[in-house]
Amino acid sequence: MAAALASRLAFRITTMRPALLPALLAAFALSGCAATPRPAADAVVEGRATFHEKLLMPPGSVLAVELVDIARGNAVLAREEFASLPGPPYAFAMRYAAADVPEGAELGVRAALSTPDGERMFATPRPVPVMAGRTQPFEFRMLRTQ
């Protein structure tokens, strides 16, 4: 009886190997596609976002900043969130990979300021143009969203 069980087990293992080989090869082939390394963040956009209302945002408010390509329908090139910034004005330095910026891009920044609960209070109505390589922070105004 033990010999019969051993021969059945050996039969199953040898018949499963051909079926496993293509699956293993496909898994190895796809694993090379899974993680594409991102370029290093080697550039920075510095700015100060402000608004003209006499309002103090609660602690833990979040400033979300996006670097966009205005020439390509405001395609987002980089995005970063800054929590608990003192302000206004809300000073930020957003790092991005210069290699992600296409040739001929018109760079702009969009920003939104939200409460800790996620309620959007202020935002830029349209992207604010910025020059790549600018060394001084630029200041822009956000408008009340409600």
Side-chain angles (χ1 to χ4, degrees):
M1 183 173 202
L5 184 58
S7 81
R8 276 194 221 152
L9 185 57
F11 175 74
R12 284 187 184 164
I13 291 174
T14 56
T15 57
M16 285 178 22
R17 283 187 187 157
L20 283 176
L21 186 59
L24 288 174
L25 289 175
F28 285 126
L30 291 176
S31 69
C33 301
T36 305
R38 299 229 359 112
D42 57 356
V44 66
V45 171
E46 292 183 71
R48 288 188 296 267
T50 190
F51 53 84
H52 290 292
E53 294 195 28
K54 293 185 181 200
L55 175 73
L56 185 60
M57 293 294 289
S61 294
V62 177
L63 178 69
V65 181
E66 294 179 333
L67 180 67
V68 299
D69 185 354
I70 298 169
R72 290 174 179 78
N74 297 330
V76 177
L77 303 174
R79 184 177 198 287
E80 196 166 345
E81 291 186 351
F82 304 91
S84 298
L85 292 175
Y90 298 93
F92 65 90
M94 182 176 66
R95 298 198 166 285
Y96 67 96
D100 287 345
V101 178
E103 186 73 30
E106 292 177 44
L107 298 180
V109 167
R110 283 192 305 214
L113 185 60
S114 301
T115 65
D117 298 332
E119 181 182 358
R120 193 174 184 178
M121 299 291 291
F122 296 93
T124 53
R126 66 189 64 79
V128 179
V130 295
M131 290 191 303
R134 181 182 176 131
T135 57
Q136 295 294 319
F138 69 103
E139 192 161 319
F140 58 91
R141 186 176 127 189
M142 297 180 293
L143 301 179
R144 185 85 186 239
T145 58
Q146 303 169 0

